[in-house]
Amino acid sequence: MRLLHTSDWHLGRSFHRENLLDSQAAFVDHLIDTVRRERIDVVAVAGDLYDRALPPVEAVRLLDEALGRIRDTGARAVLISGNHDSMVRLSYATGLIDAAGIHLRASLEDVGSPVLIDDEHGPVAFYGIPYLEPEIARPHWGLQRRGHTAVLGHAMDLVRADLASRPAGTRSVVLSHAFVSGGAPSDSERDISVGGASHVPLTVFDGVDYTALGHLHGRQTMAGSVRYSGSPLAYSFSEEHQVKGCWILDIGPSGAVAAEFAPAPVPRPVARISGRIDDLLTADRWEHYTGHWLQVTLTDPLRPAFPMDRLRERFPHALVLDFAPDDRPPADDRSWSRRTADRSDSELVLDFVDWARGAPATGEEHDLVAAALEDVRIGEAAR
């Protein structure tokens, strides 16, 4: 049986206010082409279909279109909810949708009950474990222990118990949305810590042939049979060096898994660059980045005037601007009271202007500050 493992579509998400729906639709086109070209039998989507529990209408339409197009290829699909999705909303009408070969698993009641899909070697049991919020799953199952490891461990106990009741040699795939210890996060995943702990051990997934993970946005192989596919697009600048795509897997008659990563097209790359503004605007070596979404860090000693407007003349897709002067003076380790003890109110205000802008106040600004402080002094005296 040939599987395609993907996750973390986050349909409806924006990137620093840039609408990504067209890029997400382009990924869906690529996904359908891959399913047809690679003769995929089952598409496994390991959570975070949407970016939020109440997604925009356009995102709902895109998911509906994607699922219909997957089914039109002749493939089946197994999907789970992630921590960004609404379990209740994704559970709606799943019984009816099952009949179309699209299997959404987003409720606690379904954990441990597989979707059985046959090939010439017999059945493969697909166990969907949606993202488990510990304080919702724990009382549902009557567990004493708290945390992610307790609830996901119990879910996997249910999976192993069901698998043990099936004929020997039944192959198994688990879909799960979790943070496995040793995984490398990026800046775009939502924190799922409970009591400071967000990780689960890799061993929790022992006993199945393959585990298709979602949640972390970079592709990662945690073990030969446990992988993250990562997100199809970069959702933070920390992902600038990641290769996005999906895993294509062949499950043999014994349950052995062969995996190959299929890169996805990049509608617009992301990058982080830094330097002084004049160099960034004139040097040839920065020309490569004119089509990127950019996070720019300026290292000029003084903050330039209108920096983003100037940068966008060369880099029209610059989105984030930071300042880190390369000759910043050493930090003053004196207490605040000692640093301000001999400073007048006017000097303190002007010091703030200098700090915030990276350049001293002008003569006109000196006059404005003096006039404002004089008005405050007169107002206080008239009370």
Side-chain angles (χ1 to χ4, degrees):
M1 184 175 291
R2 180 156 259 213
L3 314 182
L4 185 149
H5 166 199
T6 177
S7 73
D8 295 276
W9 293 1
H10 290 277
L11 300 181
R13 187 169 188 143
S14 61
F15 185 71
H16 297 276
R17 300 185 181 180
E18 293 287 327
N19 191 320
L20 293 179
L21 205 64
D22 287 345
S23 296
Q24 292 171 332
F27 165 72
V28 171
D29 291 341
H30 163 76
L31 177 76
I32 300 304
D33 290 344
T34 302
V35 170
R36 292 187 187 279
R37 184 179 63 253
E38 298 293 339
R39 300 180 182 275
I40 299 297
D41 298 304
V42 181
V43 176
V45 189
D48 280 352
L49 310 178
Y50 296 122
D51 190 55
R52 54 182 186 264
L54 289 173
V57 171
E58 295 81 1
V60 176
R61 287 176 179 151
L62 182 56
L63 179 62
D64 179 64
E65 176 190 329
L67 298 181
R69 293 174 68 187
I70 289 171
R71 190 64 191 119
D72 288 345
T73 68
R76 307 273 288 274
V78 182
L79 311 91
I80 61 171
S81 56
N83 59 302
H84 283 248
D85 299 312
S86 165
M87 294 179 72
V88 174
R89 289 178 174 83
L90 284 185
S91 295
Y92 177 73
T94 51
L96 295 174
I97 298 171
D98 274 349
I102 303 296
H103 310 282
L104 263 166
R105 294 295 177 260
S107 72
L108 299 176
E109 288 78 8
D110 290 332
V111 175
S113 299
V115 175
L116 296 173
I117 301 177
D118 292 315
D119 66 6
E120 65 270 26
H121 304 294
V124 177
F126 288 82
Y127 295 94
I129 303 177
Y131 169 71
L132 302 175
E133 182 58 47
E135 289 310 302
I136 294 176
R138 186 178 68 86
H140 176 84
W141 284 322
L143 305 178
Q144 297 301 310
R145 292 174 53 225
R146 297 176 180 271
H148 288 284
T149 299
V151 295
L152 190 51
H154 180 75
M156 281 302 299
D157 287 343
L158 295 175
V159 168
R160 285 185 284 263
D162 180 86
L163 189 57
S165 71
R166 299 189 178 276
T170 299
R171 293 162 292 167
S172 54
V173 174
V174 164
L175 288 75
S176 180
H177 198 85
F179 193 156
V180 174
S181 297
S186 63
D187 292 343
S188 57
E189 297 103 2
R190 182 181 294 170
D191 183 27
I192 58 171
S193 299
V194 175
S198 59
H199 300 192
V200 299
L202 180 61
T203 53
V204 78
F205 297 110
D206 287 351
V208 295
D209 293 315
Y210 183 73
T211 301
L213 291 174
H215 180 59
L216 299 184
H217 289 177
R219 65 160 175 170
Q220 298 170 62
T221 299
M222 309 306 297
S225 61
V226 183
R227 288 181 169 86
Y228 285 101
S229 67
S231 59
L233 300 171
Y235 291 126
S236 70
F237 285 106
S238 67
E239 299 162 58
E240 62 178 321
H241 299 304
Q242 293 180 2
V243 177
K244 301 298 186 177
C246 54
W247 290 106
I248 295 176
L249 308 128
D250 289 295
I251 300 183
S254 67
V257 176
E260 177 183 359
F261 193 77
V266 181
R268 188 178 301 284
V270 303
R272 293 179 286 194
I273 62 174
S274 65
R276 297 194 176 192
I277 193 167
D278 288 340
D279 182 66
L280 292 172
L281 293 177
T282 59
D284 291 342
R285 66 181 180 278
W286 304 114
E287 185 65 24
H288 170 70
Y289 297 100
T290 55
H292 288 54
W293 275 320
L294 290 180
Q295 176 180 319
V296 182
T297 299
L298 294 181
T299 61
D300 299 74
L302 298 179
R303 187 171 302 199
F306 310 108
M308 187 59 100
D309 292 340
R310 294 169 62 190
L311 285 167
R312 283 181 172 162
E313 292 179 3
R314 185 177 194 184
F315 307 107
H317 306 290
L319 299 179
V320 178
L321 181 60
D322 294 321
F323 298 92
D326 52 16
D327 62 350
R328 181 176 293 170
D332 189 341
D333 58 1
R334 293 179 299 166
S335 69
W336 175 252
S337 60
R338 289 186 60 193
R339 278 182 284 163
T340 60
D342 57 350
R343 309 289 287 169
S344 67
D345 290 344
S346 177
E347 288 171 326
L348 289 175
V349 173
L350 295 171
D351 285 347
F352 174 77
V353 172
D354 192 350
W355 171 83
R357 190 170 56 200
T362 65
E364 183 181 0
E365 289 167 337
H366 276 261
D367 293 341
L368 286 172
V369 169
L373 291 174
E374 179 67 9
D375 286 346
V376 170
R377 186 188 65 79
I378 294 172
E380 289 289 332
R383 282 186 177 180

